[in-house]
Amino acid sequence: MGISKTEHYSNKHNEIAVLLKAVAHPARVAILEHILKVNACICNDIVNELPLAQPTISQHLKELKNAGIIIGSVEGNSICYCVNEKAIAKLLKLFEGYSGKIEKNKNKCC
Amino acid sequence: MGISKTEHYSNKHNEIAVLLKAVAHPARVAILEHILKVNACICNDIVNELPLAQPTISQHLKELKNAGIIIGSVEGNSICYCVNEKAIAKLLKLFEGYSGKIEKNKNKCC
DNA sequence: TATCTATATTGCAATATTACAATTATAAAA
DNA sequence: TTTTATAATTGTAATATTGCAATATAGATA
């Protein structure tokens, strides 16, 4: 991304950005929604759903996992990926907070 | 970003990714929260708040504006930036939807 | 008009992301 | 043990992002 000045921002803002960045890609949005839909997902399943090669999807899954958006548990030969409730709750609360602030300040500007 | 295959994903997933990507940077999270806090923002105000040069902030504001996260209206010499209620509402609904799906499927997996 | 003030644009260097082919690792099945 | 199936890792090319210095633009004010 270029010379990112992570250390200059607050921890809070960095953490929010990491979570959001993990979801901020059409392939990862699709993966997330697919996992939510079938609710017992294995990687190969997604390979058949998306127009991406297996290594690419594996990489996207890794990023979602690193950010804590999904959790993977080994299940015999394959891996079961599930969405991390806490991460989604965190993002939900974030936008609830933003939304609330907009309501509160309505008609003060613009 | 590399060879992005935007045309292979659904419009819905692309639109979500564009919105999220706009916010998915610590500087832009900080800018967004600052605008919400002071609720009548001018760019120079942010330059004094963040450890970034004026052109860099101007660029971040442009990205937020292009994605529809904020709206800018000229006010004499300076510009008044406000958060776009609709964009935040869209993101709020998105995560409400995700959160709901997790609740529904609880204990089926992982 | 000349000048100041606020913001945008341009151009560029440094770095990050995306995607995939080839390969590897691991566990189940034969 | 060999084979098969599933998923991760490695290496690399193409492209996007970030940040800033220098410059430009536009409105306000003297």
Side-chain angles (χ1 to χ4, degrees), chain B residues 47-85:
Chain B
V47 172
N48 297 327
E49 284 281 321
L50 294 182
L52 293 173
Q54 178 268 323
T56 307
I57 288 177
S58 188
Q59 192 178 266
H60 282 308
L61 285 168
K62 193 179 172 186
E63 278 174 61
L64 286 169
K65 206 168 65 179
N66 284 344
I69 301 284
I70 63 174
I71 297 166
S73 53
V74 180
E75 205 158 277
N77 199 353
S78 53
I79 290 187
C80 174
Y81 281 112
C82 295
V83 176
N84 180 6
E85 207 176 336

Side-chain angles (χ1 to χ4, degrees), chain A:
Chain A
M1 248 191 228
I3 319 158
S4 205
K5 301 177 80 176
T6 308
E7 72 278 10
H8 290 324
Y9 308 113
S10 73
N11 283 344
K12 183 192 159 197
H13 293 162
N14 277 319
E15 282 166 24
I16 292 170
V18 165
L19 272 184
L20 288 175
K21 199 189 284 181
V23 196
H25 188 285
R28 294 197 289 270
V29 173
I31 288 173
L32 185 61
E33 295 196 355
H34 184 72
I35 295 179
L36 283 172
K37 201 176 82 183
V38 305
N39 193 43
C41 195
I42 52 173
C43 173
N44 194 256
D45 203 25
I46 302 167
V47 173
N48 298 326
E49 284 280 322
L50 293 183
L52 294 173
Q54 180 269 322
T56 307
I57 287 177
S58 189
Q59 194 177 265
H60 282 308
L61 285 168
K62 193 178 171 186
E63 278 174 61
L64 285 169
K65 206 168 64 179
N66 284 344
I69 302 283
I70 62 174
I71 297 166
S73 53
V74 179
E75 204 158 279
N77 200 352
S78 52
I79 290 186
C80 174
Y81 282 112
C82 296
V83 176
N84 181 7
E85 206 176 336
K86 287 183 185 176
I88 300 297
K90 204 179 278 184
L91 290 173
L92 176 56
K93 274 181 196 165
L94 179 76
F95 288 107
E96 276 175 350
Y98 290 167
S99 191
K101 276 179 196 162
I102 295 174
E103 281 304 317
K104 211 172 68 182
N105 289 328
K106 221 170 184 175
N107 298 323
K108 277 196 190 169
C109 169
C110 289

